[in-house]
Amino acid sequence: MVKKTYAYAVLEGVAQEMRKSATLSLCYQFETPVARLATGEVLDLAKEFGTPRTSGRWGWAIDEAWYVGWATGMAMTGCPAIARIPYQAAIFGAEYINHQIAKLRSMTGGQVNLPIVLWIGGAGRRPGAGGQHTDVGEEAFYAYLPGLKVVVPS
């Protein structure tokens, strides 16, 4: 059995879901969604699914609120969306998360369900991160919001 890195395992799961659903899209910030095994096997979501289903070779601009808004809009139209936001910077998208994503199901009497995943990278968990990227523990903030489900891999 080949050992997989965390990055490879996560992208492999995303790729499996994207193969199942023709409308699932992945928005990736300033990076290319690529992972490599020690055996040399490469998983390149941008190459496999292209744009507009992924954010392409170099990702899109650094604007966390835009990513959360994009994912919210996609989900509102019924298209499942995954927004990859590095460095725990999703606090910039907190307005969408708190006032739209978390509350929309309740505000519509259960008529709207948002098929959305906000994949937020773990900041401050590795050396070399700048002070603005060390907001460790935002998971607790999001877990407190009614209507959200928070999953933290070990």
Side-chain angles (χ1 to χ4, degrees):
M1 177 181 212
V2 177
K3 287 188 176 184
K4 297 176 184 175
T5 63
Y6 173 78
Y8 191 93
V10 170
L11 283 182
E12 185 177 47
V14 171
Q16 288 171 359
E17 292 302 313
M18 289 181 79
R19 289 178 194 121
K20 283 189 229 175
S21 172
T23 58
L24 175 61
S25 296
L26 170 66
C27 181
Y28 220 85
Q29 182 174 306
F30 73 78
E31 299 170 327
T32 304
V34 174
R36 183 172 279 116
L37 287 177
T39 60
E41 183 179 341
V42 176
L43 180 61
D44 185 341
L45 273 60
K47 185 176 180 181
E48 181 175 349
F49 300 104
T51 50
R53 289 194 63 203
T54 70
S55 47
R57 299 301 316 154
W58 302 109
W60 290 327
I62 300 172
D63 187 346
E64 291 82 5
W66 186 90
Y67 283 83
V68 176
W70 168 86
T72 304
M74 290 288 288
M76 285 179 166
T77 66
C79 295
I82 301 171
R84 165 74 168 92
I85 302 168
Y87 309 128
Q88 289 285 76
I91 196 70
F92 298 117
E95 192 281 324
Y96 289 109
I97 296 167
N98 186 26
H99 295 121
Q100 301 299 323
I101 297 170
K103 296 178 181 174
L104 195 62
R105 185 174 175 86
S106 176
M107 291 188 306
T108 61
Q111 294 178 42
V112 174
N113 186 23
L114 295 177
I116 183 174
V117 172
L118 298 179
W119 169 15
I120 302 171
R125 293 173 174 88
R126 64 177 187 231
Q132 69 272 36
H133 300 300
T134 56
D135 298 326
V136 176
E138 286 183 18
E139 299 90 351
F141 168 75
Y142 296 114
Y144 179 74
L145 297 175
L148 293 183
K149 295 177 186 173
V150 175
V151 178
V152 181
S154 60

